[in-house]
Amino acid sequence: MAKGGSVVVFGGTSEIGKRLAIHYATQDRVVIVTSRDRERAEATAGEVGGHCTGISLDLSKPHTIEAALAGIDNVEHLALVAVERDENNLRDYNIDSALNLVTLKLVGYTEAIHVLAPRMHEQGSIVLFGGLAKDRPYPGSITVSTVNGAVSTMVHTLALELSPLRVNAIHPAVVGDSPYWLNKPEGVLEALRARTPSGELITVDEVVDATVFLLENRAVNGVNLRVDGGWMLM
Ligand SMILES: NC(=O)c1ccc[n+]([C@@H]2O[C@H](COP(=O)([O-])OP(=O)(O)OC[C@H]3O[C@@H](n4cnc5c(N)ncnc54)[C@H](OP(=O)(O)O)[C@@H]3O)[C@@H](O)[C@H]2O)c1
């Protein structure tokens, strides 16, 4: 018999999402991981083990989210980890790619919360994933920076409207061992390391640990947590 309410990880097939799911599965919790692809969701649930199941759901199609979440109940924690990156710039602006990311995080995250909040425990909590591109823009980050900035303001309204549920956001810097960055040329990673006071890029496990802190610590509410090894100090 599993313990407590369930933990739903949107974007559970990402390395961060999967290791967060494993954290809770090893604590004997019911865990649900999502992917756009049912087979990938089920395969990930198999890797996570314990009481984990996988469902398919596309956050960039908000009208379909309610039906995709039918049958999920008794929820304690939600983690909204999903992203589809939009490397976009003003000279060669791709409207569809921008709309996809804006819809995924701003409307998709919100609709998923809208659907599941009434099925959550009073002491439940929610974490949204933003990122430090909100403070450290780069050429090509027009949508990513804007969307992460919006995530940081969304948590405030959500925390007020959904009280007593707690809502926080995590804003990681470059996660050095995440698949997106792992395959970058060493020179790129070395330059980033040199600009990080801790001398190391943050890791998937550190992001998972910080996410668990936001989900579990009952004093933390409406917070945007920077997880960056001191990167923003340089
Ligand atoms: N990695 C970093 O360095 C870094 C830095 C700052 C912030 N972040 C944030 O951390 C989070 C995780 O990043 P990551 O690099 O670990 O992600 P990732 O490896 O690129 O994985 C993306 C996840 O999002 C899911 N996804 C993509 N499009 C979706 C859609 N339309 N609907 C539902 N799910 C969708 C993918 O699932 P399927 O493909 O299986 O559908 C996958 O699980 C993101 O929110 C990202 O913005 C990451």
Side-chain angles (χ1 to χ4, degrees), residues 109-131:
Y109 277 18
T110 307
E111 171 62 2
I113 293 167
H114 158 77
V115 171
L116 289 185
R119 307 179 203 168
M120 290 183 70
H121 293 193
E122 275 206 348
Q123 301 224 323
S125 64
I126 301 170
V127 167
L128 284 68
F129 270 66

Side-chain angles (χ1 to χ4, degrees), residues 133-207:
K134 78 183 173 67
D135 302 312
R136 276 275 157 82
Y138 50 88
S141 78
I142 182 67
T143 322
V144 173
S145 292
T146 307
V147 164
N148 289 343
V151 165
S152 70
T153 58
M154 282 163 69
V155 293
H156 299 146
T157 312
L158 290 168
L160 286 174
E161 280 205 28
L162 299 176
S163 164
L165 296 177
R166 294 179 301 104
V167 187
N168 296 292
I170 183 165
H171 298 276
V174 165
V175 185
D177 61 344
S178 64
Y180 181 76
W181 286 99
L182 207 52
N183 297 321
K184 298 275 184 201
E186 180 50 33
V188 173
L189 299 178
E190 197 41 55
L192 290 164
R193 254 182 233 117
R195 284 178 52 197
T196 309
S198 67
E200 291 168 9
L201 298 178
I202 65 166
T203 66
V204 169
D205 284 339
E206 288 160 350
V207 173

Side-chain angles (χ1 to χ4, degrees), residues 29-95:
R29 305 293 291 268
V30 170
V31 180
I32 295 116
V33 290
T34 83
S35 164
R36 285 163 295 181
D37 180 81
R38 181 173 299 279
E39 281 184 18
R40 208 156 50 233
E42 287 170 357
T44 302
E47 282 179 60
V48 169
H51 304 278
C52 185
T53 52
I55 62 165
S56 63
L57 168 148
D58 190 338
L59 290 168
S60 70
K61 300 191 172 82
H63 291 290
T64 67
I65 291 173
E66 184 164 17
L69 292 172
I72 294 182
D73 209 347
N74 186 27
V75 179
E76 190 156 357
H77 300 304
L78 296 188
L80 292 136
V81 187
V83 70
E84 190 169 15
R85 287 182 173 76
D86 172 41
E87 290 177 28
N88 217 332
N89 60 64
L90 277 301
R91 288 200 177 79
D92 189 18
Y93 190 53
N94 183 326
I95 293 174

